[in-house]
Amino acid sequence: MGGKNKQKTGLLLACWLLLALGLVIFYFINREKIHKNFDRVTGKNSTTSVAVESTEKKSDSNKGNGLIDLEYVPGEAETESTTEVIDVNNVEKESSVTKIEVEKQNPQKEEKVSKNEDKKTETVKPKDVPKTKAKLCFVYVDSDGKVIRKMTTKEVDKTNAPLTNAIKTLLDGPDSSDKECMTLIPAGTRLLGASVKNGIATLNFSDEFEFNGINADSYRAQLMQVVYTATEFATVESVQFLIEGQRKDYMGSEELQIWIGSPYSRSNF
């Protein structure tokens, strides 16, 4: 009996070993199918990691081509796979197109800005100064060498000091429109001040007025020019001459002196 039991036990053990060996061989032959079935049962997908690895390799190979590739491979639990490719160059083009469209939509705004800039750059033109006429006394020399008075009418700016304006215009001398006219007032003479009181115009001249260096008749002529110009105004009857603010008795050099200590009127010429 004991021998028979040992034989059965050995036979049973051999069967188990053969069965285990058969299962191992079966596993190695069908292990991929077994893994797939196992992943389906547990809800895992081993191919996801493989796909992710291949995607990473693909993205690495595309570096430096000017594109940003974002590719995602979902698992079986997700219903859709999404692939998005962003072209940077296209984005820049679209932004520039959008900018152009905005500028086209707002042309009036640009025109307003340009008009405002034009207004800033425009120079302000002076207003037209009203004019008036003034009678000035110039002279000319005839064939006999005699100095003769000649009145002319000139257009001058209208101001609140018409006497001052007229005398200053006289000091400028005749222009091309004043034919056959000349002045004996020394060049560079300036009017330093003017006032009128009781019919007497007090005119203050610079020291250039004191000397003309010609002769006695020329001194009288330059005084006459001033007196006849000033007395064209109704408020002026005579002229008192000052040199650099001082009232002098005489003007001119020692050889040629002329009295200016009292006012001159037209009757003095």
Side-chain angles (χ1 to χ4, degrees):
M1 292 292 291
K4 290 181 179 181
N5 288 334
K6 287 182 179 181
Q7 283 183 343
K8 289 182 180 181
T9 302
L11 182 62
L12 183 60
L13 183 60
C15 290
W16 279 109
L17 289 174
L18 289 174
L19 180 61
L21 181 61
L23 290 174
V24 171
I25 294 171
F26 178 80
Y27 169 77
F28 280 105
I29 294 174
N30 300 292
R31 60 180 178 177
E32 292 183 1
K33 293 181 180 180
I34 293 171
H35 286 176
K36 288 181 180 180
N37 293 329
F38 179 78
D39 290 338
R40 288 178 181 177
V41 173
T42 58
K44 295 182 179 180
N45 191 353
S46 61
T47 59
T48 302
S49 60
V50 176
V52 171
E53 291 178 358
S54 62
T55 303
E56 291 177 353
K57 291 180 180 179
K58 183 178 180 180
S59 62
D60 291 338
S61 64
N62 289 332
K63 286 182 180 179
N65 61 357
L67 302 177
I68 301 174
D69 297 336
L70 300 177
E71 187 173 354
Y72 174 70
V73 180
E76 293 183 357
E78 297 181 1
T79 57
E80 294 181 357
S81 62
T82 58
T83 302
E84 182 178 3
V85 178
I86 300 174
D87 191 341
V88 176
N89 295 326
N90 289 335
V91 171
E92 292 178 354
K93 291 179 180 179
E94 290 177 359
S95 62
S96 61
V97 171
T98 305
K99 182 178 179 181
I100 293 172
E101 290 179 352
V102 172
E103 291 177 352
K104 288 182 178 180
Q105 292 175 0
N106 299 324
Q108 295 179 352
K109 185 176 180 181
E110 292 182 356
E111 290 178 359
K112 289 181 180 179
V113 172
S114 61
K115 288 181 180 179
N116 291 333
E117 291 178 353
D118 292 338
K119 288 181 179 179
K120 291 180 181 179
T121 56
E122 287 180 358
T123 56
V124 179
K125 295 182 180 179
K127 294 182 179 179
D128 294 334
V129 179
K131 300 289 184 179
T132 187
K133 292 183 178 180
K135 287 187 177 181
L136 308 179
C137 181
F138 292 115
V139 297
Y140 75 95
V141 180
D142 64 8
S143 58
D144 296 330
K146 186 178 181 179
V147 178
I148 300 174
R149 179 179 67 252
K150 186 173 183 179
M151 301 297 295
T152 62
T153 301
K154 296 180 72 69
E155 191 176 63
V156 297
D157 294 340
K158 188 175 183 179
T159 65
N160 294 328
L163 174 61
T164 299
N165 196 24
I167 298 298
K168 285 183 176 181
T169 305
L170 176 68
L171 297 180
D172 291 337
D175 56 26
S176 58
S177 64
D178 302 314
K179 296 180 180 180
E180 298 181 353
C181 287
M182 62 179 294
T183 182
L184 290 174
I185 300 174
T189 300
R190 294 172 291 115
L191 179 65
L192 304 179
S195 62
V196 179
K197 186 177 181 180
N198 298 327
I200 300 174
T202 301
L203 302 180
N204 182 20
F205 292 97
S206 62
D207 56 4
E208 288 86 355
F209 185 79
E210 189 173 359
F211 304 98
N212 68 19
I214 303 176
N215 54 39
D217 289 338
S218 65
Y219 278 109
R220 287 179 58 83
Q222 77 177 73
L223 295 178
M224 179 184 66
Q225 285 185 243
V226 175
V227 171
Y228 268 81
T229 299
T231 55
E232 280 293 327
F233 296 91
T235 57
V236 179
E237 296 177 0
S238 60
V239 176
Q240 176 63 60
F241 292 93
L242 301 180
I243 305 297
E244 294 289 344
Q246 297 181 3
R247 185 171 177 174
K248 295 184 176 183
D249 292 336
Y250 295 93
M251 77 173 197
S253 62
E254 293 181 358
E255 295 80 9
L256 297 172
Q257 289 186 340
I258 187 168
W259 172 264
I260 59 169
S262 59
Y264 271 81
S265 66
R266 289 190 177 189
S267 63
N268 295 115
F269 303 97

